[in-house]
Amino acid sequence: MIKLSKISLNYGNNTDILKDLDLKLESGSFHFLTGPSGSGKSSLLKLLFLGHLPSSGKLNIFGKNVSDISNTELPILRRKIGVVFQDFRLLNHLTVIENVALPLQIAGARKVDIKDHVNELISWVGLSDKINSLPNTLSDGEKQRISIARAVIGRPSLLLADEPTGSIDSDQGNKIMYLFEELNKIGTTVIIATHDNALVNEFNYPKLNLIDGKIN
């Protein structure tokens, strides 16, 4: 379960991006995060990824109050979270297969398991022919698909996706949504931030509508 109680977030300029936010998400739930540009969607995802701590209020994630988490515990907790960033954040010195394999390597998975799972997932997103390519040789749509593969490879407890279908066509977008749904079926909590109303309407999941830093 994820619970936010009276959460506010600012970046040190006395302007709250999130304001007294109350939110409770059951484990294994699936939500779209919607709202206009500047409403705080990306900031809320950063908070849930533990990229920022709340300026005030209480955030509980995986049964822990994040304000009480030590610096040594933080990276361990983050390994339970998969993130699809809007700007991809692939490591440019690593190949496609190395980028996707990274979460499994950090988790200490066996090499044979890494190879099998990574190859299967890269094939699923339609990029088997790019497996040894570096990110700077890929299109934005290809980078997006590799970013998604990396986020889901470790079967995270929480998946956060910021505009995950923004750089890919509708057919690939539906395929990616199916992948998210399959992950959700095995217990992953999924939150997708999107401006794509067609996507929201096609996949009938609850909406968290964020306006001026508050869930409406």
Side-chain angles (χ1 to χ4, degrees):
M1 180 188 295
I2 300 167
K3 187 175 182 181
L4 294 81
S5 303
K6 300 296 181 184
I7 289 288
S8 293
L9 176 68
N10 63 60
Y11 298 119
N13 58 3
N14 297 318
T15 300
D16 285 336
I17 306 299
L18 303 175
K19 307 169 187 176
D20 292 328
L21 188 63
D22 290 310
L23 181 62
K24 182 179 177 182
L25 299 173
E26 297 293 338
S27 298
S29 59
F30 195 125
H31 288 84
F32 285 115
L33 178 61
T34 61
S37 297
S39 60
K41 297 191 299 299
S42 294
S43 292
L44 178 54
L45 293 185
K46 287 177 184 176
L47 193 68
L48 294 174
F49 174 58
L50 309 177
H52 291 289
L53 294 178
S55 303
S56 62
K58 187 175 181 180
L59 170 60
N60 276 281
I61 186 167
F62 308 138
K64 294 181 178 289
N65 181 353
V66 301
S67 297
D68 297 332
I69 296 171
S70 68
N71 288 335
T72 55
E73 288 179 297
L74 192 59
I76 297 172
L77 203 61
R78 279 182 177 152
R79 289 176 200 166
K80 298 181 179 182
I81 305 171
V83 186
V84 180
F85 295 101
Q86 201 168 357
D87 56 356
F88 317 129
R89 300 198 190 180
L90 299 174
L91 298 178
N92 288 324
H93 66 287
L94 298 181
T95 64
V96 162
I97 192 170
E98 290 168 338
N99 265 283
V100 177
L102 194 59
L104 295 182
Q105 291 175 333
I106 292 172
R110 297 187 310 162
K111 287 185 178 180
V112 63
D113 293 332
I114 291 174
K115 183 178 179 181
D116 289 345
H117 291 151
V118 171
N119 280 317
E120 181 181 3
L121 190 52
I122 291 174
S123 175
W124 173 262
V125 299
L127 290 172
S128 292
D129 60 328
K130 303 286 186 177
I131 203 164
N132 294 312
S133 300
L134 292 171
N136 62 6
T137 68
L138 304 177
S139 68
D140 282 353
E142 290 168 339
K143 290 177 184 177
Q144 184 75 295
R145 283 183 275 162
I146 293 305
S147 175
I148 290 166
R150 183 183 59 184
V152 305
I153 189 69
R155 295 186 177 183
S157 299
L158 172 64
L159 176 67
L160 307 171
D162 196 356
E163 300 287 353
T165 61
S167 299
I168 54 183
D169 62 39
S170 59
D171 287 342
Q172 283 292 339
N174 287 341
K175 194 171 184 179
I176 293 302
M177 283 297 298
Y178 176 74
L179 181 62
F180 291 164
E181 287 182 318
E182 291 301 299
L183 201 61
N184 178 246
K185 286 176 184 176
I186 62 173
T188 297
T189 304
V190 179
I191 303 173
I192 298 175
T194 184
H195 287 101
D196 189 345
N197 289 326
L199 186 72
V200 173
N201 292 331
E202 183 170 352
F203 294 88
N204 189 27
Y205 291 107
K207 291 191 297 183
L208 305 170
N209 193 33
L210 192 61
I211 297 179
D212 293 332
K214 294 184 177 182
I215 299 292
N216 191 1

